[in-house]
Each structure stands twice: as structure tokens, then as C-alpha cells.
């Protein structure tokens, strides 16, 4: 099982902080933001991790994470040269994942719950994808799940009129067919390859499953959510996980 942390993007909503550094290096609680997804992957037993970032602050990311030796992980780096969307960034990992399965985490997702149990469930799947959803008060900001009984039948990106209050968090689990899905995509109205379209591809092929976060979860991509993440994570201690070799 491989891990992928998507830490690219311009971070424009956090400007001017992101003028001088990558968004995912900003502090959340006691640690740089990117330490949180690293710790969650390690907690789930995943140590081979690809980090995708932009070229502007690539040096700062590598300087912080290094080879992964100090954090008990093995990092591989890929550069997203242009803002082509989350799915386009994921596509850069085809050779890294190979025929394996992968767990993808958006680098600005901060949450308390362990994903180890969900990853074990995904390992037992013969194929397909697994996502984690969470009930939120502002679903218009996210990809939103539409249900038919206990099945997700579609996901709509940032809808004006959400069909539920359950957003798709930035934690995705895919088999190696995900790269075939990426190859079928066309750019959205904002010129990007959307991860929502990848998930809808799996829905159309009747092989997308989901779990629900019960504990707190937030993104940290705006000043408001950055402040919320810092408050929620202020007492989190990642030392035991990150120092576990």
C-alpha cells in the first residue's frame, strides 16, 4: 500500500502567507501542516509516501521532510508544474503506485480520527475505491455526496443547492485503475482535472465505497479554517507516531 500527499496549489486564499512558503508548511498547532497527513499515513502502516508539490517552494518542502528518515518514512517527490487540479497531480504518481493500491490525502486536511481501520477495510476490497465523508454545516464549499438509501449515487462539486450535508473529505483510497480514470477526464470549467470526476467514475462502475468520520475534521485552506484547524489540533502530539521507526 502506497501513500500520496497532495501538497501543491498556489494557496491563493492564504495570501500573503503563501507568498513566502508553501501552504502545507504553515504551522497548525505544534507542527507544520504537512506533518499531520504524514502521521495519519504512518499510523495506518503506510511508510512509502509520494509528496506532490509545486516548483515554487519545492526546496522548502524537501528541506523540511528530507528523505523521510527522521520521520520513519520513505518520501518520493513529484512536481506539479502547472495548476492542473487534484486529479492531474494524482496522475503523476502512476509509476510510484504501479499495480499497488494507494491512500491519497490532501495536505490541508486536519483530523483527529485514525484512518487505520478504514485502510484495513480497503485492503480487503478486491478492487475499487473508498472515500471518507463527514457531515458539515457548509457543504457548498466541498464535493457533496448524494445518497439513495445507503449508497452514494453521485458527488457534486461545490453545489449551490447541496443534496446532503455530507462532504467528501480529502482522504481517498484507490486501486491502480484510478490512473485509467484520470486518463478519461476532461478539464472542468476552471481548466482543471477534478477529483470529483474520478470518484464519479468509480460510482458509475459500481465500485465506490465510503466510511463516515465521527470525530472532528477540517480543511485548512482559508484563514477561517486555518484558525479552526489550529484550535482543534492545539493539543495533538504527533511525536510518538513520527518518531516511530
Amino acid at each position: 500500500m502506497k501513500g500520496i500527499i497532495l501538497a501543491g496549489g498556489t494557496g491563493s486564499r492564504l495570501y500573503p502567507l503563501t507568498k513566502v512558503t508553501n501552504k502545507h508548511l504553515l504551522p497548525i498547532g505544534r507542527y507544520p501542516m504537512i506533518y499531520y497527513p504524514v502521521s495519519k499515513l504512518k499510523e495506518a502502516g503506510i511508510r512509502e509516501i509520494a509528496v506532490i508539490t509545486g516548483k515554487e517552494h519545492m526546496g522548502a518542502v524537501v528541506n523540511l521532510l528530507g528523505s523521510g528518515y527522521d520521520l520513519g518514512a520513505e518520501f518520493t517527490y513529484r512536481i506539479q508544474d502547472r495548476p492542473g487540479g487534484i486529479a492531474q497531480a494524482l496522475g503523476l504518481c502512476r509509476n510510484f503506485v504501479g499495480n499497488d493500491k494507494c491512500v491519497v490525502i490532501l495536505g490541508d486536511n486536519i483530523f483527529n480520527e485514525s484512518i487505520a481501520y478504514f485502510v484495513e477495510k480497503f485492503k480487503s476490497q478486491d478492487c475499487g475505491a473508498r472515500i471518507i465523508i463527514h457531515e458539515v454545516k457548509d457543504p457548498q464549499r466541498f464535493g457533496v455526496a448524494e445518497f439513495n438509501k445507503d449508497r452514494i449515487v453521485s458527488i457534486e462539486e461545490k453545489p449551490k443547492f447541496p443534496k446532503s450535508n455530507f462532504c467528501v473529505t480529502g482522504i481517498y483510497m484507490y486501486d491502480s485503475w484510478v490512473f485509467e480514470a484520470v486518463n478519461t477526464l476532461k478539464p472542468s470549467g476552471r481548466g482543471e482535472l477534478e477529483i470529483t470526476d474520478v470518484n464519479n467514475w468509480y460510482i458509475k462502475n459500481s465500485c465506490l465505497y465510503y466510511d463516515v468520520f465521527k470525530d472532528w475534521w477540517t480543511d485548512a485552506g482559508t484563514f477561517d479554517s486555518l484558525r479552526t484547524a489550529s484550535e482543534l489540533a492545539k493539543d495533538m502530539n504527533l511525536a510518538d507516531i513520527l518518531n516511530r521507526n
Side-chain angles (χ1 to χ4, degrees):
M1 184 80 71
K2 303 290 178 57
I4 299 172
I5 297 174
L6 300 182
T10 61
S12 58
R13 291 178 297 175
L14 288 172
Y15 189 87
L17 298 181
T18 48
K19 184 176 181 179
V20 295
T21 192
N22 182 288
K23 171 179 74 174
H24 305 89
L25 305 188
L26 295 174
I28 298 287
R30 307 180 191 180
Y31 306 95
M33 189 188 299
I34 200 169
Y35 274 25
Y36 291 90
V38 171
S39 71
K40 293 302 181 181
L41 289 171
K42 281 197 63 186
E43 192 177 31
I46 300 170
R47 293 171 179 263
E48 293 182 71
I49 302 170
V51 178
I52 316 303
T53 190
K55 59 185 179 181
E56 293 82 4
H57 303 300
M58 181 73 180
V61 174
V62 175
N63 187 54
L64 174 68
L65 298 178
S67 68
Y69 176 80
D70 291 337
L71 300 177
E74 299 176 22
F75 293 126
T76 295
Y77 296 95
R78 295 285 186 272
I79 298 176
Q80 188 178 23
D81 291 306
R82 54 186 176 82
I86 294 172
Q88 192 266 344
L90 175 59
L92 301 175
C93 295
R94 177 188 284 269
N95 292 335
F96 171 75
V97 174
N99 294 320
D100 208 343
K101 292 181 176 180
C102 62
V103 178
V104 182
I105 302 183
L106 302 189
D108 66 352
N109 273 223
I110 310 297
F111 51 95
N112 193 45
E113 203 162 339
S114 172
I115 62 170
Y117 172 68
F118 307 129
V119 170
E120 289 304 312
K121 288 174 70 174
F122 178 56
K123 286 180 180 178
S124 69
Q125 290 180 212
D126 291 333
C127 60
R130 195 168 205 98
I131 60 174
I132 300 176
I133 63 176
H134 184 64
E135 191 169 14
V136 295
K137 296 179 180 179
D138 52 351
Q140 297 89 345
R141 291 181 55 221
F142 307 101
V144 176
E146 177 187 3
F147 295 90
N148 182 359
K149 297 181 180 179
D150 61 348
R151 292 179 57 248
I152 294 178
V153 295
S154 73
I155 298 170
E156 186 177 4
E157 187 65 22
K158 296 181 176 64
K160 290 184 179 180
F161 305 101
K163 295 177 181 176
S164 79
N165 287 325
F166 284 91
C167 79
V168 178
T169 69
I171 303 112
Y172 319 100
M173 307 176 201
Y174 298 119
D175 62 11
S176 60
W177 281 97
V178 68
F179 301 105
E180 302 306 319
V182 171
N183 284 342
T184 70
L185 302 185
K186 295 181 179 179
S188 66
R190 48 182 195 165
E192 297 184 353
L193 301 185
E194 305 288 352
I195 199 69
T196 291
D197 292 337
V198 172
N199 293 329
N200 280 322
W201 183 90
Y202 277 100
I203 290 172
K204 289 177 182 178
N205 286 279
S206 302
C207 52
L208 182 132
Y209 305 87
Y210 72 93
D211 294 291
V212 182
F213 267 158
K214 302 298 185 182
D215 210 334
W216 62 262
W217 166 92
T218 184
D219 71 333
T222 67
F223 282 107
D224 285 343
S225 60
L226 183 70
R227 183 168 53 250
T228 297
S230 295
E231 179 63 26
L232 290 170
K234 65 182 181 180
D235 295 323
M236 290 181 71
N237 187 344
L238 309 182
D240 287 345
I241 298 172
L242 293 175
N243 294 333
R244 193 183 304 154
N245 295 316

